[in-house]
Amino acid sequence: MGRRSRRRDLNHRPDPRFGDVEAIRFFGLARTDDSDVWQLPVVPALCSGRGTLFGGCGLGAAIEALERTTGRPLVWATAQYLSYARPPSVVDIAITEIVRGHRSSQARAVARVDGEEIFTVNSALGARDFPLSGSWAIRPDVPPPDASAPRDRLPRHVGTIMDRLETRIAAGRSIYDLPGPPGDGRAALWVHLPSLDMSAAALAIVGDFVPFGVGQALGARAGGNSLDNTLRVVTRHPTEWILADVRVHAVEHGFGHGLVHLWAEDGTLLATASQSAIVREHRDWGEDDAAAARETRAAPKEGEGT
């Protein structure tokens, strides 16, 4: 029996309560003649403000390829980022299902551009019937999305993945309030992906916000490049907004470390993510950038009055 027939174990139909586009279309993923190899075109809409493939998008695309190849839902995945991919390159994602058990699989995704390894993802996938369950993490007490201020974006974010996300600061400071005193290591963002259905791939994107928390913790206009990204999926619970509850543990020797708890609006724990990142200051933030960002911030959004 071929692997494609195993796909029946999953249900990837979009949930209208979250979005109307499957992850495979969101990323532009295409299966090649080899059923274990996928291709991801690197376009600006999947990139960060630095012009390279956003780490969460790389992990998310690999997760979607892993789930569709094995026919099983993701439990855990960790990505190690080795190099950068820039438009208009194409990433080849090769899937190897190393161990397939009755209810779970251990699998690997290796992503390359022109033969150069860009990132590697190790994962576990599957689902088991078990009578006991529970959740012991505590969600922070923050305002709901409609009472949280929109997050300001830098001009370099125009046309990137940040243009495909709606983000609101539930706990934290605007870029205009930085630099300032160091924070307590906690920050939170409400994130809405208007066009993407609820999936592990969507959670991978939202889980890539430890660098945002690093700047908040340091009280600096700073972020970073991810060295790794680990996602642990609890449940795929429909929600319009996802709360990224960022907890920065430490910044030392130029590296930052932290985790993110991902919550549904109703308080359901969706997943946890953790990262280490190379910490960098936003050196391209000048007066022209600030003026352009303020103008963008003040401009009415579609559907708003002028």
Side-chain angles (χ1 to χ4, degrees), residues 106-123:
Q106 304 279 347
R108 179 179 299 120
V110 179
R112 296 182 174 91
V113 173
D114 296 330
E116 179 188 359
E117 192 168 340
I118 302 299
F119 62 88
T120 301
V121 176
N122 290 306
S123 69

Side-chain angles (χ1 to χ4, degrees), residues 24-306:
I24 192 170
R25 289 171 52 201
F26 182 89
F27 295 116
L29 268 176
R31 205 166 202 159
T32 66
D33 292 338
D34 183 340
S35 62
D36 292 338
V37 178
W38 299 74
Q39 289 191 324
L40 171 69
V42 181
V43 297
L46 295 177
C47 291
S48 70
R50 297 184 180 274
T52 58
L53 181 65
F54 186 63
C57 288
L59 176 57
I63 287 171
E64 186 69 9
L66 283 160
E67 288 191 330
R68 289 179 179 270
T69 301
T70 64
R72 286 176 164 168
L74 185 83
V75 177
W76 160 87
T78 187
Q80 181 182 18
Y81 301 109
L82 307 172
S83 187
Y84 302 108
R86 294 178 171 85
S89 59
V90 176
V91 180
D92 293 315
I93 303 175
I95 305 299
T96 303
E97 188 173 22
I98 302 165
V99 176
R100 186 174 184 89
H102 292 297
R103 294 289 183 269
S104 63
S105 294
Q106 304 279 347
R108 179 179 299 120
V110 179
R112 296 182 174 91
V113 173
D114 296 330
E116 179 188 359
E117 192 168 340
I118 302 299
F119 62 88
T120 301
V121 176
N122 290 306
S123 69
L125 307 98
R128 299 173 58 248
D129 293 327
F130 191 72
L132 306 177
S133 65
S135 177
W136 293 268
I138 300 174
R139 203 190 90 164
D141 184 13
V142 297
D146 58 4
S148 300
R151 182 189 177 198
D152 296 305
R153 292 179 297 171
L154 297 173
R156 61 187 172 88
H157 288 150
V158 175
T160 70
I161 183 64
M162 296 306 166
D163 256 358
R164 305 175 78 180
L165 310 177
E166 184 178 354
T167 54
R168 295 175 174 269
I169 298 179
R173 289 172 279 185
S174 163
I175 190 72
Y176 301 111
D177 296 326
L178 298 173
D184 62 1
R186 298 292 297 270
L189 282 175
W190 286 108
V191 182
H192 174 47
L193 292 84
S195 62
L196 184 59
D197 68 317
M198 169 54 72
S199 60
L203 294 172
I205 295 174
V206 184
D208 195 6
F209 275 100
V210 166
F212 160 77
V214 166
Q216 296 285 322
L218 292 173
R221 289 173 177 165
N225 301 106
S226 300
L227 290 172
D228 67 278
N229 195 347
T230 298
L231 180 71
R232 303 180 191 277
V233 178
V234 177
T235 185
R236 293 162 173 79
H237 182 75
T239 184
E240 183 176 359
W241 290 84
I242 298 172
L243 180 66
D245 170 20
V246 185
R247 309 175 185 197
V248 175
H249 297 145
V251 176
E252 193 65 59
H253 303 299
F255 297 95
H257 312 279
L259 62 83
V260 185
H261 285 182
L262 303 177
W263 304 91
E265 286 184 80
D266 66 1
T268 300
L269 181 64
L270 302 171
T272 65
S274 60
Q275 289 182 281
S276 293
I278 301 171
V279 177
R280 305 184 190 276
E281 291 186 276
H282 296 316
R283 298 187 184 277
D284 58 347
W285 182 264
E287 288 305 314
D288 291 342
D289 294 310
R294 290 189 184 96
E295 185 175 330
T296 301
R297 185 186 193 190
K301 297 181 174 61
E302 185 178 351
E304 294 180 346
T306 57

